[in-house]
């Protein structure tokens, strides 16, 4: 392991311990730097904690209820009315369905001229908020 990798691990460990202190109110976690077993135990603890933290945040951020059924937020899928649909939260915090794309039309985004023309025509430099169809359409292009 190089010195740079060790430094980045130490910095991330310090940041995670600060986060832990704020969330769980842990006073200190003493690790003897010379004892490799304590360092390994500490890194294992941090990995498990961050994984559990990420899983709990992912479920709350990516799952929601729309008309009484569970839906995944922010993941475009095959549409029923239009070509694609995606469920997102609007400015008020309500879950809405955004339909976008023309059924039957093929996206030829690999052609640089077509891609450039589309992005200019639809002002994809400023696509607007996530709950608008233009945002998702520009993201596909």
């Amino acid at each position: 392991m190089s010195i740079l990798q060790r430094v980045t691990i130490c910095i991330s460990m310090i940041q995670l311990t600060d986060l832990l202190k704020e969330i769980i109110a842990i006073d200190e976690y003493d690790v003897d730097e010379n004892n490799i077993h304590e360092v390994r135990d500490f890194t294992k603890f941090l990995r498990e904690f961050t994984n559990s933290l990420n899983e709990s945040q992912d479920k709350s951020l990516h799952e929601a209820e729309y008309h009484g059924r569970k839906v995944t937020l922010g993941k475009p899928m095959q549409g029923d009315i239009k070509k694609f649909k995606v469920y997102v939260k609007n400015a008020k915090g309500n879950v809405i369905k955004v339909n976008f794309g023309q059924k039957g039309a093929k996206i030829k985004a690999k052609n640089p001229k077509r891609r450039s023309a589309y992005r200019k025509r639809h002002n994809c430099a400023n696509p607007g908020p996530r709950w608008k169809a233009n945002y998702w359409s520009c993201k596909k292009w």
Side-chain angles (χ1 to χ4, degrees):
M1 185 180 289
S2 71
I3 294 173
L4 182 61
Q5 289 174 333
R6 288 181 183 173
V7 168
T8 55
I9 289 172
C10 289
I11 290 171
S12 62
M13 289 172 66
I14 291 168
Q15 292 170 345
L16 286 173
T17 53
D18 291 342
L19 179 67
L20 284 171
K21 285 178 185 178
E22 292 175 13
I23 294 173
I24 306 177
I26 295 176
D27 292 333
E28 281 187 34
Y29 193 104
D30 292 328
V31 177
D32 183 15
E33 295 173 6
N34 298 328
N35 190 346
I36 192 72
H37 297 293
E38 287 185 11
V39 173
R40 285 183 184 160
D41 290 342
F42 182 64
T43 55
K44 182 180 175 185
F45 166 75
L46 285 177
R47 280 192 203 116
E48 290 173 359
F49 179 76
T50 54
N51 287 342
S52 65
L53 188 64
N54 289 338
E55 287 173 5
S56 66
Q57 287 177 349
D58 286 346
K59 288 179 184 174
S60 65
L61 292 176
H62 297 298
E63 289 182 3
E65 212 171 288
Y66 179 77
H67 291 284
R69 60 189 171 93
K70 297 263 183 193
V71 294
T72 305
L73 294 178
K75 182 179 177 189
M77 59 193 84
Q78 188 67 39
D80 42 11
I81 296 170
K82 294 283 222 163
K83 188 168 188 165
F84 301 105
K85 67 180 176 184
V86 64
Y87 295 97
V88 294
K89 287 191 176 184
N90 64 5
K92 295 179 183 177
N94 300 330
V95 178
I96 61 170
K97 180 173 79 167
V98 178
N99 296 303
F100 64 99
Q102 180 182 351
K103 274 197 171 200
K106 296 186 186 214
I107 296 176
K108 298 180 181 171
K110 292 183 180 176
N111 186 337
K113 289 183 181 178
R114 285 180 182 237
R115 183 180 182 87
S116 174
Y118 180 88
R119 293 187 65 79
K120 286 179 185 173
R121 184 170 63 246
H122 291 272
N123 190 21
C124 288
N126 302 312
R130 287 175 57 92
W131 58 87
K132 298 286 185 174
N134 190 43
Y135 174 89
W136 293 99
S137 186
C138 285
K139 192 169 181 177
K140 281 281 188 186
W141 274 86

